[in-house]
Amino acid sequence: MPHYLPDTTLAQGAFESHDPTGAVVPPIHLATTFLRPPEGYSQTGWSYSRYGYPGLEQPEATLKALESAAECRLFSSGMSAMTAVIMALKHGSHCVFPIDMYHGMRTWLRQYAARQGMEITHVDMTDLDQVRAAVIPRKTAVLWAETPSNPHWYIYDIAALADIAHSAGARLVVDNTVATPVLAQPLSLGANIVVHSATKYLNGHSDVLAGAAVTAKVDDFWEQVCFNRDYHGGVLGQFQAALLMRGMRTLHLRVGRSCQSAATLAAECLRHPKVEKVYYPGLPSHPGHDLAKQQMRGGFGGMVSILVTGGSAAADRVTTRTRIWKPATSLGGVESLIERREAIETNSHVEPNLLRLSVGIEAVSDLIDDLWTALG
Ligand code: PLP
């Protein structure tokens, strides 16, 4: 497709109607199987929906364009995409992960590594010396960065990590869920593979579970990731693909609004007497602020975390008193969510009084009033 600016790519949704009805959005084909011509399938032909179906083309082409990728594959969840990447590694590989990252992936890794003979090292990824010390040349297969990272929104230096990974013969994989391709394009900074929980901002309406992986290059490793999706059955369903595409068309607007509101909220929280600390990369006090200014464009994301005075009980009370902020897990939807992270994370390293705020697209003055009332 022609190279448009991201807003145009998203609004158009990589779609040109060839439908005889002239429909401006593609139909949903529910077929799981497709007629087999006697001469066999052409290269682009569909055979069985576990290997792909027409409705994947549009969202995969859109995300591929946004991430400036060689290929994109959509999965049934973010975890399905991320585990497909790790399971593409050779037995006995070593991988380096950040300490601050999505806890579900950390939990799965621990189990998987113990059973499958994979070695994992978690480091403070803001400290590049720690990363260099952890990497074992020709044994480390993957450096994994989630940036901004859950739930402190630390910023990891993608270009520097790519250099470290490549000089050791490893790949850099970046979880770009929180930044979204609107704010950051890790492949252009040297990452090899980017993964997403498309359940979050890409869909944006808290009604689809989906994941994505995109690659800078089609190589044997990527072919193995695709094989894992097709043969483990991790492909995204037809309805979910259509809903995801509908959600993505407003990604740019939603992310822009969330970023603006998050920046306003974070600055206000700094002044609140019951807030001990604010984690937001848009604040000059955040340790990743300068790097975020270089690495992200158009905003610092829609996620803010705060430490509330009075410990975990006080933080829990806040989540029961908000009316607009809904006490629920997840992030990146149009509605704002609040959660005390330690309560839901396995093996958590998170402060007991940390509240994670996913800033939606409501009026920011209402969001602030609601939080202020709940803080008391
Ligand atoms: N990565 C990040 C940063 C996440 O926040 C999540 C989910 O919360 C995941 C990955 C996993 O995605 P999913 O829940 O779609 O499997």
Side-chain angles (χ1 to χ4, degrees):
M1 76 183 278
H3 193 75
Y4 296 125
L5 291 173
D7 341 23
T8 310
T9 305
L10 284 164
Q12 295 277 316
F15 182 64
E16 280 172 33
S17 182
H18 301 297
D19 194 283
T21 64
V24 296
V25 293
I28 303 177
H29 293 287
L30 293 178
T32 53
T33 190
F34 298 81
L35 293 177
R36 178 192 284 274
E39 67 279 12
Y41 297 113
S42 67
Q43 252 202 322
T44 53
W46 311 108
S47 60
Y48 183 59
S49 63
R50 180 156 46 73
Y51 305 116
Y53 54 86
L56 283 178
E57 275 187 346
Q58 190 194 9
E60 285 184 345
T62 304
L63 197 51
K64 176 182 133 164
L66 284 178
E67 294 278 14
S68 306
E71 276 195 2
C72 169
R73 289 285 185 283
L74 289 174
F75 289 75
S76 55
S77 68
M79 282 302 290
S80 175
M82 295 173 198
T83 56
V85 172
I86 295 297
M87 290 163 103
L89 295 172
K90 294 207 175 81
H91 186 81
S93 297
H94 172 249
C95 300
V96 181
F97 296 89
I99 294 168
D100 209 52
M101 67 180 288
Y102 171 56
H103 79 111
M105 186 62 185
R106 205 174 50 223
T107 302
W108 177 82
L109 280 167
R110 188 168 300 193
Q111 268 244 2
Y112 180 78
R115 287 172 179 220
Q116 302 297 326
M118 190 175 101
E119 283 178 45
I120 52 176
T121 310
H122 286 274
V123 296
D124 170 359
M125 214 165 248
T126 60
D127 180 350
L128 293 174
D129 287 336
Q130 278 197 36
V131 180
R132 282 188 203 97
V135 165
I136 310 165
R138 285 173 301 285
K139 181 163 166 70
T140 303
V142 157
L143 286 192
W144 183 285
E146 173 189 314
T147 178
S149 66
N150 258 291
H152 294 99
W153 320 118
Y154 294 141
I155 306 295
Y156 304 138
D157 188 335
I158 297 173
L161 291 169
D163 277 348
I164 298 173
H166 298 160
S167 51
R171 288 181 172 79
L172 177 66
V173 180
V174 175
D175 181 341
N176 202 25
T177 299
V178 172
T180 81
V182 174
L183 304 177
Q185 289 193 330
L187 297 183
S188 68
L189 296 172
N192 301 83
I193 288 188
V194 165
V195 287
H196 282 277
S197 168
T199 314
K200 310 296 185 313
Y201 289 100
L202 293 181
N203 176 59
H205 295 76
S206 307
D207 54 8
V208 170
L209 195 66
V214 301
T215 185
K217 194 166 125 204
V218 177
D219 56 11
D220 289 353
F221 185 75
W222 175 252
E223 299 289 359
Q224 186 61 46
V225 174
C226 299
F227 179 90
N228 288 349
R229 182 191 78 170
D230 294 356
Y231 286 85
H232 295 172
V235 72
L236 186 65
Q238 286 92 336
F239 277 121
Q240 286 83 350
L243 279 175
L244 172 63
M245 189 60 239
R246 190 180 60 175
M248 277 206 292
R249 296 178 76 168
T250 56
L251 175 70
H252 215 265
L253 295 176
R254 289 183 284 100
V255 168
R257 170 71 169 225
S258 289
C259 283
Q260 270 175 13
S261 298
T264 307
L265 178 83
E268 290 294 323
C269 282
L270 277 182
R271 289 192 275 276
H272 197 288
K274 295 213 171 140
V275 175
E276 283 172 3
K277 189 159 186 176
V278 185
Y279 293 104
Y280 183 63
L283 293 174
S285 55
H286 189 275
H289 181 63
D290 290 337
L291 182 56
K293 275 202 290 195
Q294 290 166 33
Q295 194 166 279
M296 298 170 78
R297 42 141 218 264
F300 298 95
M303 298 301 299
V304 179
S305 293
I306 56 175
L307 302 187
V308 173
T309 56
S312 58
D316 276 336
R317 259 195 314 278
V318 175
T319 66
T320 61
R321 286 182 183 161
T322 49
R323 309 275 308 253
I324 299 177
W325 297 89
K326 299 290 181 289
T329 201
S330 201
L331 57 98
V334 289
E335 66 287 300
S336 294
L337 302 179
I338 187 167
E339 182 171 53
R340 188 170 76 78
R341 280 306 279 182
E342 197 215 25
I344 69 120
E345 294 202 1
T346 346
N347 304 312
S348 184
H349 65 291
V350 172
E351 300 94 323
N353 57 338
L354 182 144
L355 291 177
R356 188 180 82 170
L357 303 166
S358 172
V359 182
I361 62 167
E362 303 91 342
V364 67
S365 55
D366 284 338
L367 288 173
I368 292 173
D369 287 350
D370 191 45
L371 188 61
W372 263 224
T373 307
L375 283 164

